[in-house]
Amino acid sequence: MTWTSYPVPMIRGTVRAPGDKSCSHRALIFAALANGPSRISGLLEGEDVLRTADAVRALGANVEHLGPGEWRVTGVGHFLSPNAPLDFGNSGTGSRLMMGAMAGFGLRAELTGDESLQARPMGRILDPLKSMGASAENDEGGRLPLTFVGSDTLQAIDYALPMASAQVKSAILLAGLNANGETIVREPRATRDHTERMLRGFGAEVDVKRTPDGGREIRLRGGQSLTAMDASIPGDPSSAAFLAAAALISPDGEVLIENVMSNDTRDGFFQVLGLGSMGGHVGAEEAGEAAGERIVSMSAASAPLKGVSVPERLVPSMIDEFPILGVVAAFATGETVVSGAEELRVKESDRIGAVVAMLQANGVEAEERPDGFVVQGCGGPPPGGGLVEARHDHRIAMSALVMGTAAEAPIRVDDISMIATSYPGFMDDMRTLGADIRDD
Ligand code: S3P
């Protein structure tokens, strides 16, 4: 069903960011691996996270939904073979972290997912886990569906990540919990560090050292058990990015987004907007702490925007924000250049192709590069009027709807159902701010 976002004169108001997707998956998985009951509040109840809840339940944890965002997970300290295939839907994070979490137990599990997930590479997870002693069947081509086989005699590894990926790092660390010896993960550039922080919260010892080239070396001793705890999930900066962008590009925009996690492994987009040369009006006020993460109230307001060359060192800390950056770039004056971001090719869609197609369909000059894209800003509202193919990608659908709020003509999106994977309240929040999005 096609949805249309109509241009509106203002985007104003206050909304609360939904629970962070990365932290929500991790809280469920760590609680399920721990012994005893953990209470989780503020959990993102998006489809991706609910698939992870189903998976840990199928592996032996007791998972109870107590109320909105409130969950109790009672782990038994290990996982057992599930009776049915584990279906991770659209979720790369759920499927990849769970392979790491299952690796150290003598179990077999069939894993599957939707069309988008079945097209995404799993070799990046399976290769290191196999060298630790896990195995997989029917995994030709390194894609789902496949049968994953864990081992209770896993060996620690010293692994240099071939790409900057928090999912790969996290899968290896989760496997390392149940391996013999010390697991070492070396990352070329710092990626989101929620696994390291939350492992400490659940009582594990994790040693993290910065390397001189901007990377990290993470060490984890095997044989550590996790202790159940209560966790409150901070708000998702990647979801807040859509709301902030809607304010920035609006002719009259001013929003306050409460409960946003502020973590330097996630804030590249806000750095580029505010501190960088784009000139966006973005502010942050301290608002406490949740699950070892800093929380801020974020404000964003309309501003004349300038194109920017995104520094490659910031790419991992804004890896999910390139679709919405493409939208902001379309409204800016001058050229925006993204490079060193080849990982975008293997997200929920090929995001380099999808962003460029979204912009071109709406009269914006944009060009693909093997490792990024270039956008010629319109110096104000782009023409709009196009139909955007979401390609099973929630962030493409949300970006296109945000763009429609301030383009010259309405923008249509062919499918918005997958927005529920990461931000089920997106439509409500956008309407609260004054967006006019309809299924006509
Ligand atoms: C995530 C890591 C990133 C990110 C994804 C969530 C995580 O993926 O794009 O949305 O929670 O660890 P990669 O590890 O593939 O970079």
Side-chain angles (χ1 to χ4, degrees):
M1 190 201 290
T2 303
W3 285 67
T4 309
S5 177
Y6 292 86
V8 289
M10 62 173 84
I11 288 287
R12 282 182 168 261
T14 301
V15 285
R16 188 176 165 82
D20 184 71
K21 182 155 73 77
S22 294
C23 291
S24 295
H25 284 293
R26 285 163 173 77
L28 287 171
I29 296 170
F30 296 157
L33 284 171
N35 242 314
S38 295
R39 176 115 180 204
I40 307 170
S41 56
L43 190 84
L44 171 72
E45 289 171 356
E47 282 168 13
D48 278 10
V49 174
L50 297 178
R51 300 288 180 143
T52 294
D54 289 344
V56 297
R57 187 184 281 125
L59 291 162
N62 186 30
V63 180
E64 299 161 89
H65 189 196
L66 307 175
E70 292 290 322
W71 293 68
R72 182 163 48 226
V73 178
T74 308
V76 287
H78 61 264
F79 285 156
L80 301 164
S81 296
N83 294 325
L86 305 177
D87 184 349
F88 289 97
N90 195 248
S91 183
T93 309
S95 53
R96 291 176 172 146
L97 266 57
M98 283 303 296
M99 281 193 255
M102 291 188 293
F105 303 105
L107 55 73
R108 290 172 69 83
E110 280 177 53
L111 272 62
T112 190
D114 72 5
E115 193 184 321
S116 151
L117 189 57
Q118 289 191 21
R120 298 180 68 184
M122 293 297 159
R124 54 178 55 197
I125 300 288
L126 293 172
D127 292 347
L129 294 183
K130 283 178 184 174
S131 71
M132 295 175 84
S135 56
E137 294 165 9
N138 308 316
D139 61 324
E140 297 78 25
R143 302 276 191 275
L144 297 186
L146 56 82
T147 303
F148 185 80
V149 187
S151 157
D152 42 27
T153 56
L154 226 51
Q155 290 301 322
I157 47 167
D158 179 344
Y159 194 71
L161 293 181
M163 73 291 288
S165 166
Q167 293 175 356
V168 180
K169 167 178 68 176
S170 303
I172 298 170
L173 291 175
L174 281 163
L177 271 180
N178 293 305
N180 292 315
E182 185 183 50
T183 291
I184 306 173
V185 182
R186 302 171 196 273
E187 48 178 7
R189 288 224 167 101
T191 64
R192 63 191 69 198
D193 61 356
H194 312 304
T195 296
E196 297 88 311
R197 286 171 187 252
M198 217 180 273
L199 275 171
R200 289 198 187 109
F202 278 88
E205 272 176 41
V206 189
D207 180 52
V208 182
K209 278 199 181 65
R210 287 167 191 263
T211 56
D213 50 356
R216 298 272 197 279
E217 183 186 300
I218 303 130
R219 290 171 183 263
L220 176 89
R221 192 171 29 81
Q224 301 191 58
S225 50
L226 301 183
T227 312
M229 72 157 201
D230 290 347
S232 155
I233 306 295
D236 198 326
S238 298
S239 298
F242 294 103
L243 310 173
L248 286 174
I249 62 172
S250 170
D252 182 9
E254 189 164 2
V255 302
L256 182 69
I257 313 155
E258 294 173 337
N259 185 41
V260 183
M261 171 168 59
S262 170
N263 172 317
D264 61 5
T265 62
R266 295 287 296 278
D267 70 359
F269 176 67
F270 301 107
Q271 283 197 44
V272 167
L273 281 182
L275 309 178
S277 53
M278 287 203 103
H281 290 167
V282 188
E285 240 177 65
E286 292 294 330
E289 224 195 78
E293 303 277 1
R294 200 177 137 223
I295 306 289
V296 297
S297 288
M298 181 176 283
S299 54
S302 1
L305 299 160
K306 291 191 275 324
V308 66
S309 224
V310 176
E312 289 193 15
R313 69 181 162 78
L314 290 181
V315 167
S317 64
M318 57 183 293
I319 194 66
D320 291 337
E321 279 62 81
F322 286 100
I324 194 63
L325 177 79
V327 169
V328 174
F331 287 77
T333 304
E335 188 174 79
T336 291
V337 182
V338 173
S339 55
E342 52 283 329
E343 274 294 298
L344 295 176
R345 296 269 182 207
V346 292
K347 294 295 175 189
E348 286 82 331
S349 66
D350 166 357
R351 281 194 181 149
I352 294 177
V355 168
V356 168
M358 167 181 73
L359 296 174
Q360 288 174 344
N362 288 290
V364 182
E365 213 182 302
E367 180 200 320
E368 283 193 40
R369 297 255 175 99
D371 64 339
F373 54 84
V374 180
V375 181
Q376 305 301 333
C378 301
L387 172 65
V388 173
E389 284 175 34
R391 306 185 183 190
H392 298 282
D393 190 331
H394 53 131
R395 299 200 200 277
I396 297 297
M398 288 189 278
S399 297
L401 295 174
V402 167
M403 188 172 173
T405 62
E408 276 171 1
I411 292 179
R412 285 184 302 142
V413 182
D414 68 344
D415 181 14
I416 62 150
S417 56
M418 79 300 294
I419 291 177
T421 61
S422 72
Y423 194 170
F426 175 75
M427 288 296 186
D428 287 347
D429 287 349
M430 287 296 289
R431 288 186 183 125
T432 299
L433 298 179
D436 179 8
I437 303 174
R438 285 178 255 156
D439 61 339
D440 53 16

